[in-house]
Amino acid sequence: MSGKLGLGQVALMSEWDAVLPHLPSIGGWPIHCLLSVFVRIHSVTALQGTPLSATLSLVMSQCCRKIKDTVQKLASDHKDIHSSVSRVGKAIDRNFDSEICGVVSDAVWDSREKQQQILQMAIVEHLYQQGMLSVAEELCQESTLNVDLDFKQPFLELNRILEALHEQDLGPALEWAISHRQRLLELNSSLEFKLHRLHFIRLLASGPEKQLEALSYARHFQPFARLHQREIQVMMGSLVYLRLGLEKSPYCHLLDNSHWAEICETFTRDACSLLGLSVESPLSVSFASGCVALPVLMNIKAVIEQRQCTGVWSHKDELPIEIELGMKCWYHSVFACPILRQQTSDSNPPIKLICGHVISRDALNKLINGGKLKCPYCPMEQNPADGKRIIF
Ligand SMILES: [Zn+2]
């Protein structure tokens, strides 16, 4: 997804920046001033019944002038801020089109019921992923959506472990990592090592009385000796400073709290990839992609209407134009057939010919002549059945 701001957002941000400095100051000084004047008036009016001396009348008239000036200042400040705030409102109206439903015609989507079901399912999945289990359950009940226990289970487990990690309890995460050790190693994950390291550091932080326990715990690093040699050396080195206190040693960085935030991130990323879940829910990815794509789609809609070329956008699975969402949104490789100039799909997969050139199956079928295939590139003659499907 692109980190760049659109023109509309830039215009809005600059209006907002103009308002921001006024917000804390408004009312502060003038109100303080008014209060001090009121205190003075109060002390003068305490002398009720006695005629005001010349000095006191002078003080009173000064107070009245002060009140008038201050109220005027407040009014003009208010007027200033009001005009800046209303400029923000106008910038929103000018730069953001509130009518976005019309961007896509209803004909390109499935039926309304189907749409609603897909949306509800996406919201429920997002809620499970965010750990808002009770809200998800409530939504399922209200929308009479049937969610399989098998679907919920991984989210429930992940959230239970993450909650424990937030409480700095390593137990459930360690248990999970040890039981999935082989698959985690296949993913090149260092989750288990990082969990053991945190446990070890916690023992070190408890002082010299935990020295023996820390030493005996160090045997857990043995399977990771090859991959994490340097980090293990650092931890062993820190033992020298146990008596002095780790916080006063060159190893004080080991006590940094950021390790806990990092372990939550590592756990979420590696566990999601092991369980075949996305780190971000499909709903948040769709929303963020929509924010990038919507301005482009709105422009296209305007062009289609102007040139009266409706029908350009009639495919269900495809947008009328390619929209760049950035590296973050690259989930798999794509291959476009050089003959048909179409992206390959499950029904028309890429096929590698024996000469090494790759074309789509539909293109291959079209090129067969008398049971033989001539590669359009090299051009080696071959048996069409020798082509092999490749998976990116
Ligand atoms: Zn070839």
Side-chain angles (χ1 to χ4, degrees), residues 161-192:
I161 298 172
L162 265 178
E163 260 171 39
L165 277 181
H166 284 303
E167 303 285 318
Q168 306 209 337
D169 173 8
L170 292 167
L174 263 170
E175 206 178 297
W176 187 90
I178 292 169
S179 65
H180 294 89
R181 180 182 288 167
Q182 197 48 43
R183 290 182 60 203
L184 282 169
L185 286 177
E186 283 164 16
L187 287 173
N188 265 337
S189 159
S190 53
L191 176 68
E192 193 189 336

Side-chain angles (χ1 to χ4, degrees), residues 322-339:
E322 206 166 286
I323 297 171
E324 183 59 62
L325 295 177
M327 282 289 279
K328 208 180 158 202
C329 286
W330 286 13
Y331 294 102
H332 52 81
S333 311
V334 287
F335 176 75
C337 171
I339 305 295

Side-chain angles (χ1 to χ4, degrees), residues 353 355-357 375-380 382:
L353 307 178
C355 52
H357 290 115
C375 171
Y377 288 96
C378 49
M380 185 195 276
Q382 53 202 289

